[in-house]
Structure formats: C-alpha cells, structure tokens
C-alpha cells in the first residue's frame, strides 16, 4: 500500500491498473549521492523513473565528461527509451545527485506497457519532447554562447533543480559537467562573483537570483 501511494503521488496519470502492474513488476531502489544508476558501456535492463530527488545524465568521450541534462521527479531518461529497442551498450551514464529514489521497470514490461497503456506511452512522448528541448538548448549554448554564459545558466539550473540558492559543488565538478578545466571555471567564477551574481564562501556557492 505504501508503494501504491508513492506511485499515485509521483505518477498521477498512470491509473489504477497500470499502478497495480507496477507494484507487481517494478523495483523501488534508493541511490546515495553520486551513485551510478547506469554506467556508459553497460546494457539496459531497466527503465528508470525518478520518484524522489534528481539524476544527472552525462556522456564521456576520450576522458572528457559532458553534461546532457537532469532527470527530475516523475520523469525518465530519453536515452533509456531509445535502448528499450536497441540491444547495444549504452553511450551515457546516469548518477544520483544527492539521495534519490527510483522506480526500475524491467525492459520487457516497459515494452508491454507501451502497447497496453496510453498513459505510459504518453510519458515516453512527453519525455522525448522535453529532453529533445534540453539537448537542443545545450547544443545552442555550445555553438552560440560564451562559456561564461553557459556557466551562469548552469548555476541557475542547478539552483532550480536543487531547490536551494546555496550549492555545495566544487569547481572541478562544474568543469567536468561543462567539458572544460577547473582553472578556467575558477577564473570565470571569480568574474561572475565580481558581477554580484554569486557569493563564494566556505566551499559553497550562493546564487543570487530572485526566483526559481
């Protein structure tokens, strides 16, 4: 019954029949901060849906890590959907940012529910649209924006997702997500601080924005 309540809260459009099926076949698992949910090079066995917390999806090429997007409550990963019908190893990783709770749906059940339940099919369509927009936004940033603008957008996004103005994140972690070096990020962070957009103190970054 407890799981049923969680599903109805996080996935309100699924309906009683689908939720009953999820209770039978799905696995609820809690991940700690920076724990891998899937790792690049593995095969997909489960379709993950975030119930609580948030997850970072990124790709790595020649030792360079690059942020793709974040997955929040009630959402899944567009790349996981692609690999439902693709037996090849995945070309992305996903890790928990902070503590998160995920629903893991076996691939065979996800394929079955795509046909049986319009609400499940709709989730996939909506997530494709959202993450397509996220990836398009990221691509435009890389092509059109200066790194300083990308960094500022990154910090605002982190604040919005985390639900707090104060971010406990290192310059190296930011550099990894943006595909650059710690020295470059440290220099730009100092400039953004001089512009009074952030305050850096005790290894924390306070983002000075009025709303999320």
């Amino acid at each position: 019954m407890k799981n049923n309540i969680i599903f109805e809260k996080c996935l309100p459009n699924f309906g009683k029949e689908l939720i009953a099926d999820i209770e039978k076949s799905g696995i609820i698992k809690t991940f700690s901060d920076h724990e891998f949910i899937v790792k690049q090079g593995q095969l997909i066995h489960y379709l993950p849906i975030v119930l609580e917390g948030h997850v970072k999806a990124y790709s790595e090429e020649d030792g360079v890590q690059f942020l793709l997007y974040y997955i929040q409550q009630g959402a899944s990963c567009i790349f996981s959907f692609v690999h439902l019908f693709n037996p090849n190893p995945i070309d992305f990783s996903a890790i928990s940012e902070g503590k998160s709770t995920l629903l893991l749906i076996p691939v065979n059940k996800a394929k079955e529910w795509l046909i049986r339940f319009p609400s499940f099919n709709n989730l996939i369509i909506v997530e494709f649209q959202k993450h397509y927009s996220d990836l398009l936004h990221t691509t435009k940033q890389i092509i059109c924006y200066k790194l300083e603008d990308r960094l500022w957008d990154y910090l605002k996004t982190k604040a919005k997702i985390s639900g707090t103005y104060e971010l406990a994140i290192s310059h190296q972690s930011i550099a990894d997500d943006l595909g650059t070096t710690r020295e470059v990020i440290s220099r730009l962070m100092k400039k953004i601080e001089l512009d009074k957009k952030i305050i850096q103190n005790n290894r924390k970054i306070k983002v000075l924005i009025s709303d999320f």
Side-chain angles (χ1 to χ4, degrees):
M1 177 60 74
K2 181 180 179 182
N3 288 348
N4 188 285
I5 294 172
I6 293 173
F7 297 149
E8 289 182 353
K9 175 185 175 183
C10 298
L11 308 166
N13 299 319
F14 271 14
K16 294 185 181 298
E17 185 180 358
L18 176 52
I19 287 177
D21 253 16
I22 289 174
E23 281 194 291
K24 294 176 185 177
S25 305
I27 300 169
I28 292 182
K29 184 175 179 180
T30 298
F31 294 83
S32 57
D33 187 27
H34 286 89
E35 182 178 356
F36 277 99
I37 295 155
V38 291
K39 186 179 287 189
Q40 192 165 330
Q42 293 180 336
L43 295 174
I44 284 284
H45 298 292
Y46 296 95
L47 174 68
I49 296 179
V50 179
L51 299 177
E52 295 178 343
H54 60 276
V55 168
K56 179 174 76 174
Y58 68 91
S59 187
E60 191 170 340
E61 189 70 30
D62 296 329
V64 178
Q65 178 180 310
F66 193 80
L67 174 68
L68 296 172
Y69 47 73
Y70 292 99
I71 310 164
Q72 300 183 67
Q73 181 176 306
S76 189
C77 177
I78 185 174
F79 291 105
S80 296
F81 294 145
V82 171
H83 284 276
L84 285 179
F85 304 96
N86 182 350
N88 297 324
I90 60 174
D91 50 6
F92 72 97
S93 295
I95 62 170
S96 176
E97 289 222 326
K99 183 179 178 181
S100 63
T101 302
L102 273 70
L103 167 64
L104 304 178
I105 299 174
V107 166
N108 64 316
K109 296 303 293 186
K111 291 179 181 178
E112 175 189 328
W113 295 342
L114 278 173
I115 299 171
R116 287 181 57 200
F117 299 104
S119 58
F120 190 76
N121 196 39
N122 185 62
L123 169 71
I124 291 182
I125 293 172
V126 170
E127 288 306 304
F128 257 108
Q129 291 173 333
K130 179 183 182 303
H131 290 315
Y132 174 80
S133 296
D134 290 341
L135 290 172
L136 184 60
H137 177 69
T138 299
T139 303
K140 284 181 177 179
Q141 282 193 320
I142 294 170
I143 295 173
C144 304
Y145 298 169
K146 296 186 298 182
L147 182 56
E148 180 182 340
D149 296 329
R150 290 175 56 208
L151 172 58
W152 175 231
D153 187 74
Y154 170 88
L155 293 172
K156 289 188 293 183
T157 299
K158 289 283 288 186
K160 180 178 180 180
I161 291 173
S162 303
T164 176
Y165 293 101
E166 291 194 342
L167 306 174
I169 183 171
S170 68
H171 287 189
Q172 184 60 60
S173 181
I174 297 171
D176 290 341
D177 282 346
L178 296 183
T180 185
T181 65
R182 182 185 59 79
E183 291 77 12
V184 170
I185 291 299
S186 295
R187 175 172 53 81
L188 290 176
M189 290 291 286
K190 187 63 179 177
K191 183 178 184 303
I192 293 175
E193 186 172 28
L194 289 173
D195 291 339
K196 301 187 184 302
K197 292 181 178 180
I198 62 170
I199 296 174
Q200 299 184 88
N201 187 32
N202 295 327
R203 298 185 178 180
K204 288 188 176 181
I205 302 166
K206 185 173 183 179
V207 181
L208 303 177
I209 56 177
S210 58
D211 59 72
F212 289 144

